[in-house]
Amino acid sequence: MLADPLHPRKTPFVRPRTRLAGLSLLSAILVLVLFLPTAVDRIVDWYWFDNLGYGRVFLTVLDTRFLLGLFTALLAAAFLVLNLRWALRHPAPDPTRVRAPKVFPNLPGSPERVKRWATWGVLLLAALVGLVVSARWLDVQQFLHRTPFGVTDPVFGRDVGYYVFTVPILSLASGVLFVLTMLVLVAMVLPISMIRGTVVLAPRAVSIKAAAGMQLAILVALLFVVLAFQLHFVRAPELLHSTTGPLVGASYVDLHVRLPGIHVATVTALLSAALVLWGIPRRRVFRNTIIAVAFYVVVAAVGTALLPAMVERLVVKPNELVKETPQLTWHIAATRRAWGLDSIAVHDLSGETQLTAGDIAQEEATIRNIRLWDRDLLLQTFGQIQSIRTYYHFINVDDDRYWIDGAYRQVLLSARELDPTSLPQRSFINERLTFTHGMGLTMSPVNQVGSEGLPTLFVQDLPPVSNVSLHITRPEIYFGELADGYVIAATKQPEFDYPAGREGQDIYASYEGRGGVSASGFIRRLLLAMRFGSLNILLSDDITPRSRILFHREILGRAQRLLPFLDFDQDPYMVITNAGRLMWILDGYTSTKRYPYAMPTADGTTYVRNAAKVVIDAYDGTVTAYLADPHDPLALTAARIFPGVLHPMSEMPADLRAHLRYPGTLFQLQTMMYATYHMSEPATFYHREDQWQVPRQTHERDQSVEAYTRHMIMRLPGERSAEYILMTPFTPRAKDNLAAWVVARNDGEHYGDLAAYRFPKQSLVFGPAQITNRIDQNTEISQQLSLWDQRGSQVLRGDLLVIPIGESLLYVQPLYLRAQGGEIPELKRVIIAYQNTVVMEPTLAEGLARIFGGNAAGAQTAPSGEERPAAAEAAPAAAPLSPRAATLVTQAEEHYRRAMEAQRAGDWATYGAEITRVGELLRQLRAQQSSPALPDSSRRTP
């Protein structure tokens, strides 16, 4: 039977089923593509967090984000669906009497079709809102576990914690509600009403039906209520961060004009909401809305913009200091508290005193640790003489201090890390299984020079060899600054440890740590293979159940994942423990941009604390965080959010505490602030009468605070012993003479103490720029530098070091030579400047002796290798020598040899002791030669 073309046969069940199956398949594929990778990542992340003992952090973040996003999405969906259903229930007018709105010519007015598309839009919008709000999980957790600061603001009398923890949540909630209401009004209710004809926008009039008018009026009124809430609870507190006056914080105009204007605008917004609602029964919704909006805009513009500008220009500007004095007082006090400047101890120096050779000798610890090697140049040198192989790299050089052979020594060290991108052949076996780790470090003293102008190495070579009392038992570096990407350790494939002397004799090892995630089991290997996008992880026969996949090995990123409430200093440093393990120490910061009246940095931060010290084992990746500032409210809040994550500092091993250092980044921020905020009197501060600045220097040197911030070992004025400090000098603004120097102390019970040492304003103390000019004007030095620059070599001038000695200053600048086209700088000369005297000598000791006379700091081996004989008394000639005399001569030669070794090492304490012993032996020899011979029984070695 042929089908009738005019009456086709219907198949009501086949096509819907086919469509349903297709949609189901498409949905399954979409879910698989979108959510499976995320699920795999979360499972593998859980393995990683749990292995490190930070499962609580993972679950807290995951639960908070999920619950916050879900709760917000449900509220948003309920609000949107309620308004959608309300809009669709508006009784539509007779369609024969309603013209289709021209703005929607192709959209049908069918409620079912509108409802279908609008429902999808509602679900998508609600999900987006939940996703956006879930990203603010930390703000919500901080609000729920907030800790008071114990300091109140001077305007509203609220604790600072209110502005740090509460105001952001009020701003978030009101902002989300305002945006949702606006979207519902503009993108949902109004278009639906226009499509259905309950709202008609005619050229000469606007027609709104009663049901639609009520919904529109309620939404507009809600907008005004939310606006009033924002003005009172968000906008008014934000005046404490205002920058409209000559300070950061609420100025005179803000407090006396703008704040009252905000209060008036708040009342106006509430009145506007009432006016719109009042128009509902009177069918005047549209007109009342226009009147309310105009009324609010005029009042807000006049009260918060126009009137404040007039008062600022006509009242405040002519009398700014008088009007702003109270606010300046609050601003200075808040800035000093927020940046920790109020704890800086101020010491006034009497003026530059005259130094003598005796004074220099008494500062033996300071002189012995004067840094003659610039970190950048030393990094180049390490890279040339200690990289050993092309795939080893030194990332940066760090300052530290150690007790070495009984002496407190400042050293420079750099970790030897492996760069997989430099491997000669990059394959899965090489990059993931064989070349898995770096090896050891290189360490040198800051002031010691070898025979060819190269640094003396305390720790060197592969495997690392220590020439001093330090020892390294676990030199492998699986986790570091350069470590990126994953590696698989403890496999059947031997891991390259370090190169040996001959080809084919390289040393291999197998990982014995507990770092990383175990690769045992098929399911886990499948998840890891999906996580890292490598089928080799699943198929490789080299991977065994005891194998471990090490990832997130870059230490800064590793710490940030585990401790998301902290920001980290970008300069981690390595420490050798007493047990010989290599540990990384990172400085963790808490910060906020909402500290009232405080001066912000360029990124808006107004409060920073070094809240945590984080230690990461370079071998197994263990991460331990210690609470470094138990008085920081942000850190205490984090400790309440993540209990047990921050350990007390008393639990940190003593050998690690001995290497803690005040973070350089924080110190630079504080000193930058202190250059202005050491002035605490409002009038002085307003006029900037005593503002400081970083010293100016020529020769294209860096002019930042960092360029002059130096670690050194020195004895502070009034202290009994030398200590490890961080120091920055300052000059008066637009001047070159030195005004003060600020230090951060790092040792023992004084760790974290800040102090400022100020020179008298009426005395002249040369600054770095003036010293640099005096060096350039010295004909002997300038001629020598010009000669070297013309002989196929390049002269490199090191950092000009400011060395406080008592209440005086010594300037030291090392000079390096580098062959044209070469990459190894050699230390050749040392320039020393004191007051009006500038000298250049092969060694620091010779320069000091030339300035101060005598043996100010002993003699030091010159960079070229020749020895400067010490001022020891020569033994008188006598022949023949008795056995006793011969023994004395032999001992004197031995002690003289030890003195020369100590001299080359810069160990002035040992040098002095050995020279003293030489003198004693020479006196005994003179007495032996001038006295009658003793019986053989007395001829014993003393």
Side-chain angles (χ1 to χ4, degrees), residues 507-528:
I507 306 302
Y508 290 83
S510 181
Y511 185 66
E512 300 174 353
R514 296 294 301 168
V517 173
S518 172
S520 61
F522 175 79
I523 298 298
R524 182 169 290 200
R525 286 182 65 171
L526 175 62
L527 292 173
L528 291 169

Side-chain angles (χ1 to χ4, degrees), residues 235-277:
R235 179 87 179 276
E238 285 181 347
L239 287 180
L240 300 184
H241 311 286
S242 171
T243 58
T244 56
L247 56 110
V248 174
S251 63
Y252 178 89
V253 170
D254 291 327
L255 295 178
H256 294 84
V257 184
R258 192 167 280 113
L259 182 59
I262 290 176
H263 293 329
V264 172
T266 301
V267 175
T268 302
L270 295 176
L271 292 176
S272 298
L275 179 62
V276 173
L277 295 176

Side-chain angles (χ1 to χ4, degrees), residues 473-752:
T473 59
R474 183 56 79 183
E476 299 92 340
I477 302 175
Y478 283 87
F479 301 86
E481 295 183 84
L482 189 60
D484 192 16
Y486 71 93
V487 297
I488 309 176
T491 65
K492 293 180 181 179
Q493 182 73 28
E495 297 176 48
F496 177 81
D497 211 25
Y498 57 87
R502 290 179 297 175
E503 184 178 357
Q505 300 295 319
D506 293 339
I507 306 302
Y508 290 83
S510 181
Y511 185 66
E512 300 174 353
R514 296 294 301 168
V517 173
S518 172
S520 61
F522 175 79
I523 298 298
R524 182 169 290 200
R525 286 182 65 171
L526 175 62
L527 292 173
L528 291 169
M530 295 175 64
R531 167 66 174 79
F532 296 106
S534 174
L535 194 60
N536 293 325
I537 296 177
L538 186 64
L539 302 179
S540 175
D541 293 333
D542 289 323
I543 301 176
T544 69
R546 63 179 295 268
S547 299
R548 308 189 71 82
I549 296 188
L550 281 59
F551 56 101
H552 298 324
R553 296 187 301 131
E554 192 273 320
I555 54 176
L556 286 173
R558 186 178 185 85
Q560 190 68 71
R561 286 176 178 270
L562 294 173
L563 304 165
F565 53 90
L566 294 176
D567 297 318
F568 286 93
D569 195 288
Q570 298 301 301
D571 185 25
Y573 58 100
M574 178 169 280
V575 169
I576 306 174
T577 68
N578 290 347
R581 295 183 72 94
L582 302 180
M583 299 285 189
W584 295 99
I585 297 182
L586 293 73
D587 288 292
Y589 301 116
T590 53
S591 63
T592 181
K593 299 179 180 180
R594 305 195 65 85
Y595 197 101
Y597 267 108
M599 183 67 184
T601 57
D603 65 352
T605 302
T606 54
Y607 172 96
V608 174
R609 288 294 184 272
N610 180 206
K613 300 288 185 179
V614 179
V615 179
I616 301 180
D617 191 307
Y619 183 71
D620 61 22
T622 302
V623 180
T624 309
Y626 299 93
L627 180 61
D629 188 349
H631 305 292
D632 174 31
L634 288 168
L636 296 177
T637 298
R640 296 174 65 183
I641 299 173
F642 306 103
V645 171
L646 295 177
H647 301 269
M649 284 296 296
S650 58
E651 295 182 7
M652 178 181 283
D655 55 344
L656 289 177
R657 286 203 307 271
H659 292 281
L660 295 181
R661 66 186 193 188
Y662 199 84
T665 301
L666 177 59
F667 183 69
Q668 290 161 24
L669 290 173
Q670 289 176 308
T671 51
M672 179 182 67
M673 292 289 181
Y674 194 69
T676 300
Y677 288 90
H678 70 276
M679 299 177 289
S680 56
E681 202 278 320
T684 304
F685 178 87
Y686 179 82
H687 295 298
R688 300 295 197 270
E689 294 177 4
D690 191 24
Q691 190 172 13
W692 299 342
Q693 67 180 20
V694 179
R696 181 178 60 86
Q697 194 173 344
T698 55
H699 299 289
E700 299 181 354
R701 304 297 295 179
D702 189 357
Q703 302 301 306
S704 66
V705 176
E706 183 179 2
Y708 286 92
T709 302
R710 294 285 179 265
H711 287 96
M712 64 179 68
I713 292 178
M714 63 165 290
R715 184 172 66 87
L716 294 173
E719 299 295 331
R720 294 183 177 180
S721 59
E723 57 187 281
Y724 190 60
I725 67 164
L726 187 60
M727 191 269 278
T728 295
F730 284 100
T731 64
R733 182 169 55 92
K735 299 292 182 181
D736 290 331
N737 59 290
L738 215 62
W741 45 281
V742 182
V743 301
R745 305 174 72 175
N746 293 274
D747 288 347
E749 62 181 7
H750 294 295
Y751 173 84

